[in-house]
Amino acid sequence: MDFFSIKQNYYTGNFAHALQDIRKHTESEDDTLLFYKLKTLLALKKYEAGSFKANPIGVTFDIYVQFLKSRNISALESHVNTETASPYELNIFASALAIEGRYDESLEVCVYGIDNSESAGTTELLLLAIQVTLLDGQFSVAQTLFDNFIGAQEDNITSEDELIVNLAESYIKFATNQDTTSSNFYYFEELAQTFPTWKTQLGLLNLHLQQSNIEEAQGIINFLESDYYSVEQKEAAELYKPDFLANKITLAILSGSNNVDELKKELEQLDPNHALIQNNKKINSDFDEIVAKYNI
C-alpha cells in the first residue's frame, strides 16, 4: 500500500490533509496507517483514548498519551517489551524516553528496532534516532547511523522512505552546519514553496537565522503573523507557537532588539519545558555557579 501522500502531508505539518488521506483507507488495518493516524490525531488534538485498543500499537499509544499528561513513564516501561514490540511500538516508547531526556536509552531502543526488524517502521526509527542523537549533541553518531542505514538499505528504500531519509539528512546538515547556503538551504526553501505550511516555513526560518539573514527571517515572521497563517490556520498557529516564539527570540537577539526578555517570559508561560527555556536556565545556573566560586 502506498502511503506517500500521507507521509508527505504529515512531515510537512499539513496534519488536516494527512488525516483526510488516512480516512480514505477506512477498511485497512495496516500498522503504518494506524501509526500515522494516531500521531496525526494527537497533533490535531482530536485523539480519543481507547479508540484503537484492538491493536497493540493503539494500546501502547494510549499509555504514551497518559505519559504525556503525567510525565510518569513507568506504565509505558512496564508495557513495552523491546524484544517483541513492533517498530512502531518501539518508536512510541523511544519518543517517551527522549522526552524524559534519557537519550542513550532512547537511542538504544531505536537501534534495536532498526537492526532486528525488516518490517515497516524502521525508517521512522532512523529519523527518531537521528533526532535523539542531535538533541544529545552526538553529531558524529548521527552521521554514522545515517550512513550505516543507507549502506544497508539503499536498494530497498522506497519513495515514501526516501522522503523520511531526506528529512533525517537535512537535520544532520543543519546541526553540523553543512551545506548551509547550498543544498540544505535549497531543500527547505523548496519545501516551503511547494508545501507552504507552518512547519516548512519555520524550517526555512531556522535556516535564515542560522546564516544571520535578518531581513529574510523577519520577512517569514511577518508572513506567519499575517491573517493567512495566524487566522485561517489558527490550529496550526497554536500548535507551532512555542517554536515560533523561540525563533522570534533568536531573531531579536541577532538584531539587538530590546524585547528579548518579554518574548522569553511569553514562551516560558506557554511552554516552560521548551528547550530554549531549559537551556537558558542551565546557562544562567552555570554562570551563577562560576560567579559564586570566584566570590568566595
Side-chain angles (χ1 to χ4, degrees):
M1 192 175 293
D2 183 10
F3 297 125
F4 182 85
S5 178
I6 292 171
K7 293 184 181 183
Q8 189 176 62
N9 279 313
Y10 177 83
Y11 287 109
T12 56
N14 197 343
F15 300 121
H17 283 179
L19 189 58
Q20 287 177 10
D21 288 341
I22 289 167
R23 285 173 172 164
K24 294 176 184 177
H25 303 277
T26 52
E27 303 302 318
S28 175
E29 296 182 358
D30 188 278
D31 282 352
T32 298
L33 190 69
L34 177 59
F35 177 76
Y36 281 96
K37 184 174 185 176
L38 295 170
K39 299 269 283 184
T40 301
L41 287 170
L42 183 63
L44 292 171
K45 298 181 180 179
K46 295 181 178 180
Y47 180 78
E48 296 181 5
S51 301
F52 307 94
K53 59 185 179 182
N55 187 297
I57 296 172
V59 175
T60 302
F61 202 80
D62 268 348
I63 301 172
Y64 171 71
V65 172
Q66 291 172 14
F67 155 75
L68 292 178
K69 295 176 181 177
S70 68
R71 285 300 194 268
N72 185 341
I73 200 173
S74 58
L76 198 55
E77 287 181 304
S78 299
H79 175 76
V80 177
N81 183 333
T82 304
E83 295 183 1
T84 59
S86 70
Y88 289 124
E89 288 179 274
L90 293 178
N91 192 303
I92 296 165
F93 182 40
S95 296
L97 289 169
I99 292 170
E100 285 263 288
R102 295 159 61 180
Y103 298 130
D104 288 344
E105 294 171 73
S106 178
L107 178 59
E108 186 177 331
V109 172
C110 290
V111 171
Y112 182 88
I114 293 169
D115 291 345
N116 291 277
S117 178
E118 296 180 2
S119 58
T122 52
T123 311
E124 284 84 356
L125 276 173
L126 170 72
L127 178 61
L128 179 57
I130 296 299
Q131 291 171 311
V132 168
T133 50
L134 294 178
L135 283 170
D136 199 28
Q138 299 186 60
F139 303 143
S140 61
V141 175
Q143 187 66 61
T144 299
L145 281 169
F146 181 83
D147 292 341
N148 288 346
F149 184 88
I150 297 300
Q153 302 291 336
E154 189 171 13
D155 296 333
N156 302 317
I157 295 176
T158 64
S159 58
E160 60 188 72
D161 287 333
E162 186 177 10
L163 184 155
I164 301 171
V165 166
N166 289 340
L167 188 60
E169 184 179 28
S170 75
Y171 288 163
I172 295 172
K173 288 183 174 181
F174 178 83
T176 56
N177 287 301
Q178 296 179 53
D179 301 329
T180 304
T181 60
S182 53
S183 62
N184 205 42
F185 175 79
Y186 297 133
Y187 171 78
F188 282 96
E189 185 179 49
E190 183 178 353
L191 276 181
Q193 291 176 353
T194 309
F195 305 99
T197 66
W198 265 91
K199 186 173 182 178
T200 58
Q201 294 295 343
L202 286 173
L204 182 59
L205 174 56
N206 273 283
L207 265 293
H208 278 304
L209 291 172
Q210 188 179 39
Q211 299 172 71
S212 297
N213 294 337
I214 293 175
E215 185 175 337
E216 290 83 353
Q218 185 62 60
I220 295 176
I221 286 176
N222 293 343
F223 188 37
L224 289 172
E225 288 179 333
S226 68
D227 284 348
Y228 175 72
Y229 276 95
S230 63
V231 179
E232 295 181 37
Q233 297 188 28
K234 186 178 179 180
E235 285 186 347
E238 291 178 356
L239 176 65
Y240 288 106
K241 188 172 182 179
D243 293 325
F244 181 52
L245 283 171
N247 280 284
K248 289 184 73 173
I249 291 168
T250 303
L251 179 59
I253 293 170
L254 287 174
S255 59
S257 177
N258 60 4
N259 66 336
V260 174
D261 289 340
E262 179 184 339
L263 289 169
K264 284 182 179 178
K265 287 179 182 178
E266 185 178 356
L267 177 56
E268 186 170 11
Q269 290 177 351
L270 183 65
D271 184 4
N273 294 314
H274 194 279
L276 188 147
I277 296 300
Q278 293 303 311
N279 289 338
N280 189 64
K281 286 183 177 179
K282 186 178 186 307
I283 290 171
N284 289 336
S285 177
D286 290 346
F287 179 76
D288 290 342
E289 286 182 17
I290 293 172
V291 171
K293 178 181 177 180
Y294 288 99
N295 279 342
I296 295 176

